Amino acid sequence: MSLAAIEEKLRAGERLDFQDGLELFMEPDLLALGRLANAARESRHGDRTYFNVNMRFEATNVCYADCSFCAFSKLKEDDPGSHTTTHEAAWQQLADFPDPRLTELHMVNGLHPDLPFEWYEELLRGFKRVRPGIHLKCFTAVEIHFFAERFGMTYEEVLRRLSQAGLDSMPGGGAEILHPDVRRRISHDKASGEQYLAVHRAAHELGMPTNCTMLYGHIETFEHRVDHLLELRALQAETGGFQCFIPLAFHNENNSLQKLPEPTAVDDLRTVAVSRLLLDNVPHIKAYWVSLGVDTAQLALRFGANDLDGTIVHETIYHAAGSDVPMGMTRDELIRLIREAGRVPVERDTRYGIVEELPKAAAPEAAMKVRERNRAKRSLATIGGA
Ligand code: V47
């Protein structure tokens, strides 16, 4: 089917299928694809582009799983570079966060073989003690599955207990590629694709919102990507619990897949665009600036994405895998990126409640600068002439 035929389907409100997804990934005209995705984005969100003031935290990087793309985890507690926080140090870090606008703590950890379940519960309780208003977006579905197996609980029991301790929502990490042919080769010893989805289903049934991701640009094919997106779409049709989808671009340093090239900017933008078109029931598509790089993330705001993630402050997973983006960004920098893309910056909380909607720039910043310079010159000339 041609792009024009897919466009016709979209206009008629028809759902895209597997074959359409493949065609979109194969479409050579990136700008035409981007235009379709941008139209879908604008019909939902107009120019609104979300970001938040958040911080990343990892309690431990000790992980018994051996994912071939991962550069962040250490197998054992005494391996060089491994670390596990104390409760006090974790709480202090949150208490010391200087910006009162902080709304979210995003925590992802390794699968530590020895920490008791109560340790995590106490960690969450302490976070809420030091900053009662903070939203705790913590633990991937892979971690929840690990807790369930290790501590002999159902997903529901794990989630209920963590929620009673303060957990508010779950991030989307750990999805990688859901298809077993890929998963078997890159992350064979953790939750399967089905288990990843089952944990999210359990969270949604408890009323807990979650995000979802896809790690692309390594050994998978376009078929695997389309399959992955359609699996997520099917679960969303059932539960409606996904808030946001985040395509994650593979980084190749310091891991066992380092011989593979990383995805190009064209692949990044195409993946964002196809995600927006196939995941027609997931409201938000995030251009995670750490994973895409700042420039591509900004461009992605015209290819279907309507969110940039947040300030983050201290990112570790992508930096371990060779990313050279900053460790964090200021709120002003995020606002500038969004404005320069001609969009309206909207500071949000994790549930997409609006914290502050900022005005759109009157013109792209570069043009503003020229105008300001000309205005300054004119007033100098007036003074000179008086
Ligand atoms: O699960 C690990 C991925 C994920 C590499 O939910 C890698 O709002 C690329 O899930 N190259 C963690 N990717 C990050 C994540 C996330 C990020 C931002 C926002 C949200 C959200 C979730 O990072 C992991 C894994 O899929 N990852 N190593 C790598 N070498």
Side-chain angles (χ1 to χ4, degrees), residues 187-344:
S187 52
H188 60 97
D189 52 0
K190 67 181 191 189
S192 68
E194 273 174 20
Q195 288 160 338
Y196 175 93
L197 294 171
V199 171
H200 283 273
R201 182 180 290 107
H204 299 168
E205 279 167 2
L206 291 175
M208 183 184 285
T210 72
N211 292 341
C212 50
T213 59
M214 172 174 76
L215 173 65
Y216 67 92
H218 42 90
I219 62 165
E220 88 291 358
T221 62
F222 287 152
E223 280 84 353
H224 292 128
R225 291 189 200 181
V226 175
D227 173 78
H228 185 103
L229 294 169
L230 296 188
E231 288 281 357
L232 296 175
R233 189 175 78 182
L235 179 57
Q236 179 73 342
E238 216 184 285
T239 65
F242 286 131
Q243 297 199 112
C244 176
F245 171 73
I246 309 114
L248 297 170
F250 167 64
H251 282 54
N252 68 1
E253 281 183 38
N254 307 316
N255 55 37
S256 338
L257 299 179
Q258 47 196 319
K259 291 212 175 92
L260 295 178
E262 293 180 347
T264 60
V266 167
D267 194 12
D268 292 334
L269 293 174
R270 182 195 288 140
T271 307
V272 170
V274 179
S275 305
R276 166 62 74 190
L277 293 170
L278 282 189
L279 286 178
D280 56 7
N281 54 2
V282 175
H284 303 284
I285 305 288
K286 192 183 278 185
Y288 182 40
W289 60 265
V290 174
S291 147
L292 296 177
V294 175
D295 295 344
T296 307
Q298 190 188 30
L299 285 172
L301 301 181
R302 293 262 156 201
F303 282 78
N306 68 302
D307 190 312
L308 275 185
D309 202 86
T311 47
I312 299 172
V313 187
H314 189 76
E315 200 284 331
T316 47
I317 296 178
Y318 283 82
H319 286 84
S323 169
D324 57 4
V325 298
M327 293 299 266
M329 278 217 267
T330 64
R331 182 176 178 274
D332 285 348
E333 283 167 333
L334 290 165
I335 293 171
R336 180 186 167 202
L337 285 175
I338 295 170
R339 281 203 167 133
E340 182 61 19
R343 299 299 200 191
V344 174

Side-chain angles (χ1 to χ4, degrees), residues 176-196:
E176 324 317 356
I177 289 287
L178 295 169
H179 196 285
D181 288 352
V182 177
R183 208 170 180 84
R184 208 176 296 126
R185 290 170 60 199
I186 63 167
S187 52
H188 60 97
D189 52 0
K190 67 181 191 189
S192 68
E194 273 174 20
Q195 288 160 338
Y196 175 93

